[in-house]
Amino acid sequence: MLKLPGLIDPHVHLREPGATHKEDYDSGTSAALAGGITMVLAMPNTRPPIFDAETLDLALTAAKGKARCDYAQFLGAGPNNGDWDKNKGLPQRAAGLKMYLDSTFGELRLDDMTLWMPHFETFPKELPIVAHSESRSMASAILFAAIYDRPVHIAHISLKEEVLLIKAARERGIQVTCEVCPHHLFLTKEVPPPTLRATSPNFAEIGGGLGGGRAEVRPRLATQEDVDSLWANLDVIDCFATDHAPHTVEEKDSDNPPPGFPGLETILPLLLTAVSEKRLSLDALIEKMHTNPKRIFNLPDQPETWVEVDEKAIYEIKAADQFTRCGWTPFEGWKVKGKVRKVVLRGQTAFEDGRILVPAGYGIDIRQEIS
Ligand code: DOR
Ligand code: ZN
């Protein structure tokens, strides 16, 4: 048995409030525990979006009654909530501020850079700003970090140009950190893996790329060259994050498929398989799923918390075995090595051999309660 510290996922979509048929704080945090994750930071692109005291309370009230692992909730940057000085104390109750600088799922988006400025000026520097920013808008976000002399964390990088620019910016002392998701490390847009083709009729090959609604995700799946570059520059990547973005299998297979992949239950086995293949060291995995997110997002210790993994167990990923409500996974049928056996969270066995053992509401808001 391999013993790991409680893993942290700084990027999940739990769909509460507003779309609990896809996921809620209960099913999402159960999926987290089953995946060896003991703390999640929840994104604000819900319905309504989380952007002020009232909507933050809405999400945190749901979380308090339902969460099974520990959590914090992000606030979203909108066009009219940029003066955080007017809302003293509110940022401290949140995981941090999420800024959507490119179009994606949900209503939160800031097209005009004048709308970015007040957020960078007034959001407390000791709390994280996370940017959904791709390619050139990522370069703009890094410029903002330099101008306003504050850290910025770039969500889900996927491109060679992104990892190389972050490296260069950091070498010049700009405070920029980043995360990468398993789907951008293990999938490309070019060749659908055989398992995807076999299990998903929707993955027609269109012009040599992945077709079908299930392949829709933002940022999009990239080229093999991009994927190779992420693996070659793992030392630049601070965190692994899932961007767990559950949409039901019916929605993904519809004529208007929303972008997003579930990921909480597959991140650890996929990465442990990479460890077993010597593409990644165990130390790097722990650094990117525990040590670094804890530092970057200013997260507390979880005492008496650990994950036990059978690192020799080989098994097939199956949506039918998962706790997420969405009913599918882009990794259906993949053979992985490394299975979560047991999760102990603050002294209680929270998950063991496929069963969740702590009640809804066991999870705590790490920004409110000292664990
Ligand atoms: O694919 C995505 N899905 N990318 C995002 O940025 C949002 C997410 C969602 O909430 O579904
Ligand atoms: Zn996301």
Side-chain angles (χ1 to χ4, degrees):
M1 269 318 157
L2 180 68
K3 194 170 166 185
L4 301 173
L7 302 175
I8 299 166
D9 187 347
H11 193 147
V12 304
H13 298 265
L14 297 181
R15 308 301 188 204
E16 188 154 14
T20 51
H21 67 286
K22 300 176 198 266
E23 201 78 291
D24 70 357
Y25 256 97
D26 183 351
S27 60
T29 55
S30 297
L33 287 171
I37 290 156
T38 55
M39 194 188 291
V40 293
L41 304 186
M43 287 298 158
N45 62 334
T46 47
R47 268 204 322 255
I50 309 306
F51 66 98
D52 61 6
E54 197 183 330
T55 48
L56 184 64
D57 284 341
L58 205 61
L60 291 181
T61 303
K64 195 175 174 59
K66 291 186 175 183
R68 296 180 196 251
C69 75
D70 295 347
Y71 60 89
Q73 170 69 53
F74 274 97
L75 288 159
N80 302 316
N81 66 342
D83 187 354
W84 294 101
D85 291 338
K86 275 203 206 135
N87 270 303
K88 287 252 182 295
L90 185 61
Q92 286 74 15
R93 294 177 55 213
L97 181 69
K98 177 72 182 288
M99 300 183 72
Y100 288 92
L101 308 180
D102 288 292
S103 64
T104 186
F105 185 72
E107 297 154 36
L108 289 165
R109 202 173 82 214
L110 300 166
D111 290 322
D112 182 334
M113 281 190 282
T114 62
L115 299 175
W116 307 8
M117 290 171 184
H119 292 287
F120 271 87
E121 271 163 24
T122 64
F123 202 75
K125 281 190 183 176
E126 69 280 7
L127 288 164
I129 288 184
V130 177
H132 178 131
S133 60
E134 303 179 29
S135 185
R136 292 171 193 197
S137 66
M138 189 204 76
S140 312
I142 292 175
L143 178 65
F144 268 65
I147 292 171
Y148 291 97
D149 190 25
R150 62 148 301 142
V152 67
H153 179 79
I154 308 295
H156 41 51
I157 68 165
S158 63
L159 302 175
K160 180 178 181 177
E161 62 178 34
E162 292 170 348
V163 74
L164 295 184
L165 191 71
I166 288 172
K167 187 172 183 213
R170 230 157 31 199
E171 281 163 5
R172 281 154 189 79
I174 299 176
Q175 303 172 72
V176 55
T177 54
C178 68
E179 68 194 27
V180 69
C181 305
H183 49 270
H184 293 123
L185 287 173
F186 292 96
L187 300 172
T188 72
K189 70 174 180 188
E190 288 151 349
V191 186
T195 46
L196 287 181
R197 268 188 307 224
T199 56
S200 313
N202 249 10
F203 284 114
E205 280 182 66
I206 298 170
L210 266 178
R214 295 197 196 186
E216 287 296 334
V217 68
R218 299 293 177 275
R220 290 184 169 84
L221 297 178
T223 65
Q224 188 63 50
E225 189 185 347
D226 290 310
V227 171
D228 291 344
S229 175
L230 295 179
W231 282 103
N233 289 286
L234 276 184
D235 57 331
V236 180
I237 290 157
D238 300 282
C239 307
F240 293 132
T242 60
D243 194 7
H244 179 78
H247 298 285
T248 66
V249 68
E250 294 79 17
E251 291 164 341
K252 294 295 280 180
D253 288 348
S254 73
D255 290 340
N256 190 18
F261 293 167
L264 282 165
E265 289 157 275
T266 45
I267 184 171
L268 187 56
L270 287 167
L271 292 172
L272 285 171
T273 305
V275 170
S276 78
E277 291 167 352
K278 308 227 178 327
R279 303 177 76 192
L280 173 71
S281 74
L282 193 58
D283 283 350
L285 186 150
I286 293 170
E287 192 181 275
K288 295 176 205 303
M289 294 192 75
H290 176 78
T291 323
N292 291 347
K294 201 166 161 218
R295 187 191 72 247
I296 293 166
F297 297 95
N298 199 6
L299 303 170
D301 274 328
Q302 292 177 296
E304 287 185 78
T305 296
W306 68 88
V307 178
E308 292 176 22
V309 166
D310 180 349
E311 79 254 61
K312 299 220 167 63
I314 296 174
Y315 70 103
E316 261 184 36
I317 291 174
K318 289 200 187 83
D321 297 337
Q322 297 197 333
F323 286 87
T324 175
R325 209 162 269 166
C326 70
W328 77 288
T329 161
F331 302 105
E332 181 77 34
W334 281 40
K335 210 173 251 183
V336 285
K337 190 171 178 187
K339 198 173 181 64
V340 178
R341 289 280 177 222
K342 182 171 174 173
V343 178
V344 177
L345 173 55
R346 289 179 285 101
Q348 297 269 337
T349 300
F351 173 86
E352 193 165 21
D353 291 329
R355 289 187 310 142
I356 301 289
L357 299 174
V358 285
Y362 180 73
I364 61 172
D365 178 350
I366 54 85
R367 289 290 191 242
Q368 283 187 46
E369 294 177 57
I370 310 294
S371 49

